[in-house]
Amino acid sequence: MAELATIARPYAEALFRAGGDAAAAEQLAALAAVAADAQLLQFAANPKAESAQVFEVIAAVAKIPLSAPVQNLLRAVIDNGRLVALPSIAQQFHTLVNAKSGVSDATVYSAFPIDAAQLADVKAALERRFGRRLDAKVELDPELIGGIRVVVGDEVLDTSVKARLEAMKSALVA
Protein backbone atom coordinates (compact mmCIF):
# COMPACT_ATOMS: atom_id res chain seq x y z
CA MET A 1 0.00 0.00 0.00
CA ALA A 2 1.93 2.95 -1.28
CA GLU A 3 -0.73 5.33 -0.04
CA LEU A 4 -0.31 4.27 3.59
CA ALA A 5 3.46 4.53 3.23
CA THR A 6 3.06 8.08 1.90
CA ILE A 7 0.78 9.00 4.80
CA ALA A 8 3.07 7.34 7.35
CA ARG A 9 6.38 8.86 6.26
CA PRO A 10 5.90 12.39 7.71
CA TYR A 11 4.74 10.98 11.05
CA ALA A 12 7.70 8.60 11.28
CA GLU A 13 10.17 11.33 10.32
CA ALA A 14 8.65 13.79 12.79
CA LEU A 15 8.95 11.31 15.67
CA PHE A 16 12.51 10.51 14.60
CA ARG A 17 13.44 14.22 14.60
CA ALA A 18 11.76 14.63 18.00
CA GLY A 19 14.33 12.31 19.51
CA GLY A 20 12.97 8.92 18.62
CA ASP A 21 15.16 6.00 19.61
CA ALA A 22 14.96 2.23 20.04
CA ALA A 23 12.70 2.62 23.10
CA ALA A 24 10.29 4.74 21.06
CA ALA A 25 10.40 2.10 18.32
CA GLU A 26 9.32 -0.56 20.83
CA GLN A 27 6.51 1.66 22.11
CA LEU A 28 5.38 2.41 18.58
CA ALA A 29 5.46 -1.29 17.67
CA ALA A 30 3.20 -2.06 20.65
CA LEU A 31 0.80 0.70 19.60
CA ALA A 32 0.83 -0.54 16.01
CA ALA A 33 -0.13 -4.03 17.15
CA VAL A 34 -3.06 -2.57 19.06
CA ALA A 35 -4.07 -0.31 16.18
CA ALA A 36 -4.16 -3.25 13.77
CA ASP A 37 -7.21 -4.65 15.59
CA ALA A 38 -10.38 -4.29 13.48
CA GLN A 39 -12.63 -3.67 16.49
CA LEU A 40 -10.41 -0.86 17.72
CA LEU A 41 -10.41 0.76 14.28
CA GLN A 42 -14.19 0.51 14.22
CA PHE A 43 -14.38 2.13 17.68
CA ALA A 44 -12.01 4.93 16.59
CA ALA A 45 -14.06 5.57 13.45
CA ASN A 46 -17.26 5.98 15.48
CA PRO A 47 -18.23 9.67 15.42
CA LYS A 48 -19.37 9.45 19.04
CA ALA A 49 -15.91 8.35 20.22
CA GLU A 50 -13.81 11.33 21.23
CA SER A 51 -10.09 11.49 20.48
CA ALA A 52 -9.25 11.41 24.20
CA GLN A 53 -11.29 8.22 24.65
CA VAL A 54 -9.58 6.53 21.72
CA PHE A 55 -6.17 7.58 23.08
CA GLU A 56 -6.95 6.20 26.54
CA VAL A 57 -8.21 2.89 25.14
CA ILE A 58 -5.15 2.40 22.96
CA ALA A 59 -2.73 3.37 25.74
CA ALA A 60 -4.49 1.04 28.19
CA VAL A 61 -4.52 -1.91 25.81
CA ALA A 62 -0.86 -1.40 24.84
CA LYS A 63 0.12 -1.88 28.52
CA ILE A 64 3.43 -0.08 28.00
CA PRO A 65 4.48 3.32 29.35
CA LEU A 66 4.64 5.84 26.52
CA SER A 67 7.21 8.61 26.23
CA ALA A 68 6.00 12.16 25.60
CA PRO A 69 6.98 12.16 21.89
CA VAL A 70 5.16 8.86 21.30
CA GLN A 71 2.09 10.15 23.16
CA ASN A 72 2.12 13.28 21.00
CA LEU A 73 2.43 11.20 17.84
CA LEU A 74 -0.46 8.97 18.90
CA ARG A 75 -2.63 11.99 19.62
CA ALA A 76 -1.79 13.52 16.23
CA VAL A 77 -2.54 10.26 14.42
CA ILE A 78 -5.89 9.92 16.20
CA ASP A 79 -6.85 13.58 15.70
CA ASN A 80 -6.07 13.37 11.98
CA GLY A 81 -7.97 10.10 11.51
CA ARG A 82 -4.82 8.21 10.48
CA LEU A 83 -4.94 5.38 13.00
CA VAL A 84 -4.98 2.84 10.17
CA ALA A 85 -1.51 4.08 9.16
CA LEU A 86 0.03 3.41 12.58
CA PRO A 87 1.55 0.01 11.63
CA SER A 88 3.18 1.60 8.59
CA ILE A 89 4.41 4.50 10.72
CA ALA A 90 5.97 2.01 13.15
CA GLN A 91 7.69 0.14 10.31
CA GLN A 92 9.11 3.31 8.76
CA PHE A 93 10.24 4.61 12.14
CA HIS A 94 11.95 1.30 12.87
CA THR A 95 13.78 1.61 9.55
CA LEU A 96 14.94 5.14 10.43
CA VAL A 97 16.21 4.06 13.85
CA ASN A 98 18.04 1.11 12.31
CA ALA A 99 19.63 3.31 9.66
CA LYS A 100 20.86 5.72 12.33
CA SER A 101 22.44 2.90 14.33
CA GLY A 102 23.86 1.15 11.25
CA VAL A 103 21.75 -1.97 11.67
CA SER A 104 19.62 -3.69 9.06
CA ASP A 105 16.82 -6.18 9.60
CA ALA A 106 17.48 -9.63 8.18
CA THR A 107 15.01 -12.46 7.81
CA VAL A 108 16.61 -15.90 7.65
CA TYR A 109 14.31 -18.50 6.11
CA SER A 110 15.31 -22.04 6.99
CA ALA A 111 13.83 -25.47 6.35
CA PHE A 112 14.78 -26.49 9.90
CA PRO A 113 14.91 -24.71 13.27
CA ILE A 114 18.14 -22.84 13.99
CA ASP A 115 19.32 -22.71 17.61
CA ALA A 116 20.94 -19.63 19.17
CA ALA A 117 24.54 -20.80 18.66
CA GLN A 118 23.95 -21.62 15.00
CA LEU A 119 22.16 -18.31 14.48
CA ALA A 120 25.12 -16.43 15.97
CA ASP A 121 27.47 -18.15 13.50
CA VAL A 122 25.12 -17.51 10.57
CA LYS A 123 24.65 -13.89 11.64
CA ALA A 124 28.43 -13.31 11.83
CA ALA A 125 28.88 -14.74 8.32
CA LEU A 126 26.00 -12.68 6.97
CA GLU A 127 27.34 -9.49 8.54
CA ARG A 128 30.64 -10.08 6.73
CA ARG A 129 28.78 -10.83 3.49
CA PHE A 130 26.47 -7.79 3.63
CA GLY A 131 29.02 -5.46 5.24
CA ARG A 132 26.81 -4.19 8.04
CA ARG A 133 25.37 -5.20 11.40
CA LEU A 134 22.22 -7.28 11.16
CA ASP A 135 19.25 -7.87 13.42
CA ALA A 136 18.34 -11.39 12.32
CA LYS A 137 15.12 -13.29 12.87
CA VAL A 138 14.41 -16.83 11.72
CA GLU A 139 11.31 -18.06 9.94
CA LEU A 140 10.70 -21.68 9.02
CA ASP A 141 10.03 -22.52 5.37
CA PRO A 142 9.95 -26.30 4.76
CA GLU A 143 9.74 -25.76 0.98
CA LEU A 144 13.46 -24.81 0.98
CA ILE A 145 14.31 -28.50 1.60
CA GLY A 146 17.67 -27.47 3.11
CA GLY A 147 20.00 -24.47 3.37
CA ILE A 148 18.84 -20.93 4.04
CA ARG A 149 17.40 -17.94 2.23
CA VAL A 150 18.26 -14.52 3.66
CA VAL A 151 16.44 -11.26 2.93
CA VAL A 152 18.08 -7.98 3.98
CA GLY A 153 16.08 -5.04 2.71
CA ASP A 154 15.90 -5.55 -1.05
CA GLU A 155 18.88 -7.94 -1.16
CA VAL A 156 18.39 -11.71 -1.22
CA LEU A 157 20.97 -14.44 -0.62
CA ASP A 158 19.54 -17.84 -1.47
CA THR A 159 21.68 -20.87 -0.66
CA SER A 160 18.75 -23.25 -0.31
CA VAL A 161 18.52 -26.66 -1.91
CA LYS A 162 15.33 -25.53 -3.64
CA ALA A 163 17.19 -22.66 -5.36
CA ARG A 164 20.01 -24.96 -6.43
CA LEU A 165 17.54 -27.48 -7.87
CA GLU A 166 15.77 -24.70 -9.78
CA ALA A 167 19.13 -23.49 -11.13
CA MET A 168 19.97 -27.04 -12.30
CA LYS A 169 16.56 -27.33 -13.92
CA SER A 170 17.10 -24.07 -15.79
CA ALA A 171 20.54 -25.20 -16.92
CA LEU A 172 19.22 -28.55 -18.16
CA VAL A 173 16.24 -27.04 -19.97
CA ALA A 174 18.29 -24.30 -21.68
Side-chain angles (χ1 to χ4, degrees):
M1 286 190 145
E3 184 176 315
L4 278 182
T6 303
I7 291 168
R9 187 174 301 108
Y11 290 102
E13 290 173 351
L15 180 60
F16 186 72
R17 284 191 306 270
D21 55 5
E26 290 177 19
Q27 295 169 23
L28 202 52
L31 293 176
V34 172
D37 183 66
Q39 287 180 324
L40 179 78
L41 291 174
Q42 185 178 10
F43 169 70
N46 186 337
K48 293 182 182 179
E50 296 179 11
S51 296
Q53 290 175 317
V54 175
F55 176 86
E56 293 301 323
V57 167
I58 293 172
V61 172
K63 297 180 183 175
I64 184 170
L66 303 176
S67 65
V70 174
Q71 287 181 18
N72 291 340
L73 174 87
L74 180 59
R75 284 189 177 96
V77 167
I78 293 168
D79 290 343
N80 294 326
R82 304 291 195 190
L83 196 57
V84 71
L86 199 54
S88 185
I89 294 168
Q91 177 58 40
Q92 289 191 28
F93 181 76
H94 180 74
T95 302
L96 290 170
V97 170
N98 277 354
K100 178 183 175 184
S101 64
V103 176
S104 295
D105 288 329
T107 305
V108 178
Y109 298 94
S110 173
F112 303 100
I114 298 176
D115 65 28
Q118 290 172 325
L119 182 59
D121 292 341
V122 168
K123 183 178 168 186
L126 291 173
E127 286 176 344
R128 285 191 303 275
R129 165 70 170 80
F130 287 100
R132 57 187 175 264
R133 289 188 2 233
L134 298 176
D135 182 16
K137 69 175 182 173
V138 178
E139 291 190 20
L140 293 180
D141 185 0
E143 291 184 9
L144 296 180
I145 304 170
I148 60 172
R149 180 174 179 264
V150 181
V151 178
V152 179
D154 60 351
E155 298 177 77
V156 177
L157 174 64
D158 196 343
T159 63
S160 67
V161 173
K162 179 181 177 183
R164 290 179 186 174
L165 289 173
E166 288 175 5
M168 281 193 266
K169 177 182 173 186
S170 296
L172 290 173
V173 172

